[in-house]
Amino acid sequence: AQSVAQPEDQVNVAEGNPLTVKCTYSVSGNPYLFWYVQYPNRGLQFLLKYITGDNLVKGSYGFEAEFNKSQTSFHLKKPSALVSDSALYFCAVRDTRGSYIPTFGRGTSLIVHP
Amino acid sequence: DAMVIQNPRYQVTQFGKPVTLSCSQTLNHNVMYWYQQKSSQAPKLLFHYYDKDFNNEADTPDNFQSRRPNTSFCFLDIRSPGLGDAAMYLCATSSRAGVTNEKLFFGSGTQLSVL
């Protein structure tokens, strides 16, 4: 079985400050981990993924995520937030031993204040 | 440039009146998914096709049906929409279903309203 948790419904940050959106996962095997972003009234867009290798993954729009196996986490980060980063962020996981269907977290609303 | 296209962008239907949502893709992906998303919740998988093989989620109501006449197109049919079916419906694709590290490509969604 695979599952993912996003413990925060909403994250507020001031423009220019670093941001973190949290994600933890549970899988039987090894994880493939993904972050997607959804802007209002739009579909989800892929940001980045972790498959194997370096624990720090860089993605689109200056975002990065850090894979931590011991803490089963894959937090999304950005050094300097922009107002335009305000959106809904979804973490997703696939188990290397399981189905190719990903499991999505419930989403975290990121609000960046000017 | 759009790779997964959903039509219409907004759909209004009446309670109990059948409605069809469409999705097309230019990626030649063999897997197509339909998700239901309500008010900033996680997308909920309704069903997916792996090529012509249809896979229904156990908790998808019988009211929802799907057709995939060819690789490029997939349709979501709601036979008798209820007020609870008002949601954003997202179509997505991926390639090589056996490769679990493949990302999903999403369309912009169809926002369904039921009056």
Side-chain angles (χ1 to χ4, degrees), chain A residues 32 34 36 38 40-46 49 51 88 90 94-96 98-102 104-107, chain B residues 9-10 31 33 35 37 40-43 45 48 50 55 88 90 94 97 99-104 106-108:
Chain A
Y32 292 141
F34 306 80
Y36 291 83
Q38 186 178 32
N41 299 314
R42 307 293 293 180
L44 279 66
Q45 296 178 32
F46 171 78
K49 67 179 179 182
I51 304 301
L88 197 56
F90 291 97
R94 280 174 167 156
D95 191 335
T96 58
S99 166
Y100 52 84
I101 306 297
F104 284 88
R106 64 178 181 176
Chain B
R9 184 73 182 84
Y10 299 94
V31 190
Y33 310 78
Y35 286 88
Q37 187 183 24
S40 299
Q41 297 179 14
L45 183 65
H48 75 279
Y50 181 4
N55 299 270
M88 172 77 86
L90 297 169
S94 68
V99 180
T100 58
N101 61 9
E102 287 295 317
K103 66 184 181 184
L104 271 62
F106 284 84
S108 294

Side-chain angles (χ1 to χ4, degrees), chain B residues 5-59:
Chain B
I5 304 165
Q6 291 188 244
N7 286 305
R9 184 73 182 84
Y10 299 94
Q11 176 73 57
V12 180
T13 190
Q14 293 179 341
F15 183 94
K17 185 175 181 180
V19 65
T20 295
L21 310 182
S22 72
C23 177
S24 63
Q25 56 137 336
T26 59
L27 298 163
N28 203 34
H29 284 171
N30 55 350
V31 190
M32 294 188 77
Y33 310 78
W34 278 106
Y35 286 88
Q36 180 192 64
Q37 187 183 24
K38 294 185 176 181
S39 56
S40 299
Q41 297 179 14
K44 177 183 181 298
L45 183 65
L46 296 173
F47 23 62
H48 75 279
Y49 278 92
Y50 181 4
D51 292 326
K52 294 185 177 181
D53 292 334
F54 177 70
N55 299 270
N56 197 32
E57 293 301 295
D59 58 353

Side-chain angles (χ1 to χ4, degrees), chain A residues 55-114:
Chain A
N55 290 340
L56 186 64
V57 179
K58 294 188 182 297
S60 306
Y61 312 121
F63 283 92
E64 57 190 27
E66 186 169 10
F67 171 66
N68 187 317
K69 188 172 183 178
S70 63
Q71 297 184 3
T72 62
S73 67
F74 189 58
H75 300 331
L76 182 69
K77 301 180 180 182
K78 187 174 183 180
S80 179
L82 300 172
V83 172
S84 58
D85 292 330
S86 299
L88 197 56
Y89 290 82
F90 291 97
C91 182
V93 67
R94 280 174 167 156
D95 191 335
T96 58
R97 294 184 185 176
S99 166
Y100 52 84
I101 306 297
T103 297
F104 284 88
R106 64 178 181 176
T108 298
S109 177
L110 173 67
I111 299 175
V112 181
H113 302 278

